[in-house]
Amino acid sequence: MKFETQNMNVLELSEQEIGRRESLQQLRDMGINPYPAAEYPTNAFSTDIKNEFKDDEEPRQVCIAGRMMSRRVMGKASFVELQDSKGRIQVYVTRDDICPDENKDMYNVVFKKLLDIGDFIGIRGFVFRTQMGEISVHAQEITLLSKSLKPLPIVKYKDGVAYDKFDDPELRYRQRYVDLVVNEGVKETFEKRAIVTRTLRNILDRNGYTEVETPVLQTIAGGASARPFITHFNALDTDMYMRIATELYLKRLIVGGFEGVYEIGKNFRNEGMDKTHNPEFTCMELYVSYKDYNWMMSFTEKTLEEICIAVNGKPEVEIDGNIISFKAPYRRLPILDAIKEKSGYDLNGKTEDEIREIAKKLGIEDTETMGKGKLIDEIFGETAEGTFIQPTFITDYPVEMSPLTKMHRSKPGLTERFELMVNGKELANAYSELNDPIDQEERFIDQMKLAAKGDDEAMIIDHDFLRALQYRYRYRPSGDAHDR
């Protein structure tokens, strides 16, 4: 069905949507503003009302607000389920209580169903326990706060079959606002993530590290091996990159004299999408002077243990059916040993061509444009990465995989780098930072050679960063943690 708006645009509306718009007009005709501007003075939440209720005390007067999620009309009385930001509570409504004088408009609104499921309403009344034992609010006044014009996908059951379930993953991600309203547990995920971020920031601040902000638009996409997004800066008539990492700007601050700096912000990588990778993601990067990657591993595992306790009340959590323990310490395993352990292939001492042949045997495609480091990375991802469920530090990456990393102090050809694997996914990446400007320039040149071969994730030379290294660069580790 179609509905013509005032500007003559024609909208395709369902029968329910048309009915809601008709109710909207009836409310306006009655002089009821369906979208009032005035503050509504709430003083209680559903869960708090239930937790604090005592049968032997005087009835508590409350003012609450939320969505109407269900309604049962029974003669001159009605039961409404109200959902606020913390939970749900039953509201008992009678005609004589909400319409004590001759004006029966609110009776018509409630009992003749000018209110719809999903509408926001305010309730003034007192708390009591029904004969069925349910703690409820006895309404003495009802206020319409916001009229909903689209019906919510409320699940209904018939003969054991559920209808109108809002469970399509793509639709849930696109319409998260609906997902939050109708599916239990979704809001809890948001709240837990907020605890993670808040706890992480508290730990870093407590250790004396300074939170900073670095540019999102950059002239050179550096700090990681990834394909960037490109945008145009009209004022300067030049192309810019959305940052793929905060790394190189944070390092400049260490050069400038900061003891430790960190940033929690968005990075952008113009790559594929899957369950664990999004082109726009939140990343925390930390840089501390005078430390190494061994210190960073210890700091990381202690930090994650504290965060897990803050979120779950204990250092363990169940993920995808696995009980994962974040209690420190974690296993440490060199990457080439991990590949040998999981695949049977020993890559130690192998040439690039030999590793390429192994990659082909494992079914890895498009190997011709890959350098040695990229080949090893692909082999690890194919054979080993997904198998590490408990937190495991994969360490000592080949130099070809780590252009910003200090050479290993005792293992030629390797670097002092680790990635933390949890539940088969990378959670963090860190290393003893390369502070030799000559070595760094040579690494950048090697990256440009890879780019010339067709590797669109190879790094670009950042001459200003090299200049910064030549002023002063102190031995320290770095680390980043991903939320992708």
Side-chain angles (χ1 to χ4, degrees), residues 45-257:
F45 292 99
S46 56
T47 52
D48 298 333
I49 290 172
K50 294 177 180 179
N51 293 335
E52 297 167 6
F53 178 80
K54 292 182 173 59
D55 288 296
D56 57 353
E57 292 184 352
E58 288 293 318
R60 174 187 175 187
Q61 292 290 323
V62 295
C63 181
I64 60 175
R67 284 185 184 271
M68 186 175 74
M69 299 301 292
S70 69
R71 172 181 50 202
R72 290 179 290 125
V73 177
M74 305 169 65
K76 295 181 180 181
S78 178
F79 288 95
V80 169
E81 186 178 39
L82 189 79
Q83 177 175 295
D84 62 17
S85 61
K86 291 192 175 182
R88 297 189 180 191
I89 192 166
Q90 180 175 269
V91 178
Y92 175 66
V93 186
T94 68
R95 185 188 68 178
D96 294 339
D97 282 317
I98 63 172
C99 302
D101 51 27
E102 295 301 318
N103 187 335
K104 304 300 181 185
D105 283 350
M106 191 49 64
Y107 167 79
N108 293 326
V109 169
V110 176
F111 291 86
K112 295 192 176 180
K113 299 188 177 180
L114 295 182
L115 288 183
D116 292 294
I117 303 302
D119 288 355
F120 280 89
I121 58 176
I123 304 291
R124 289 181 185 271
F126 61 89
V127 185
F128 76 111
R129 190 188 295 275
T130 66
Q131 292 181 349
M132 299 299 294
E134 184 168 354
I135 299 170
S136 308
V137 175
H138 189 128
Q140 296 171 305
E141 178 184 295
I142 297 180
T143 303
L144 174 61
L145 301 177
S146 183
K147 182 69 179 169
S148 175
L149 298 183
K150 293 187 76 67
L152 289 171
I154 303 297
V155 178
K156 301 179 180 64
Y157 294 91
K158 184 177 180 180
D159 299 329
V161 179
Y163 295 91
D164 293 333
K165 292 179 69 176
F166 193 73
D167 57 0
D168 178 77
E170 295 290 335
L171 196 56
R172 289 180 64 189
Y173 293 149
R174 289 197 202 99
Q175 298 182 18
R176 186 63 85 185
Y177 43 89
V178 178
D179 190 29
L180 281 162
V181 174
V182 301
N183 287 325
E184 293 184 6
V186 177
K187 186 181 178 185
E188 183 182 0
T189 301
F190 281 76
E191 291 171 337
K192 285 185 175 181
R193 185 186 184 280
I195 295 172
V196 169
T197 305
R198 183 165 59 250
T199 306
L200 176 60
R201 181 174 278 112
N202 289 341
I203 293 170
L204 296 171
D205 292 344
R206 189 174 70 221
N207 279 273
Y209 308 137
T210 304
E211 182 174 11
V212 298
E213 290 186 347
T214 60
V216 173
L217 293 177
Q218 303 180 355
T219 55
I220 293 175
S225 297
R227 183 187 304 161
F229 284 95
I230 302 174
T231 187
H232 190 75
F233 195 156
N234 289 335
L236 299 178
D237 192 24
T238 186
D239 285 341
M240 303 284 285
Y241 298 101
M242 302 286 284
R243 70 181 180 199
I244 58 176
T246 58
E247 180 164 339
L248 299 187
Y249 281 91
L250 291 174
K251 290 177 180 178
R252 287 170 169 87
L253 294 174
I254 295 295
V255 171

Side-chain angles (χ1 to χ4, degrees), residues 336-350:
L336 297 183
D337 292 351
I339 292 173
K340 182 178 179 181
E341 177 183 298
K342 301 298 182 179
S343 73
Y345 288 102
D346 187 355
L347 304 188
N348 281 286
K350 293 288 192 299

Side-chain angles (χ1 to χ4, degrees), residues 263-278:
E263 181 171 6
I264 301 174
K266 292 289 188 181
N267 288 340
F268 307 87
R269 299 183 181 179
N270 198 1
E271 301 170 337
M273 297 175 62
D274 59 33
K275 186 178 180 181
T276 60
H277 292 82
N278 193 49

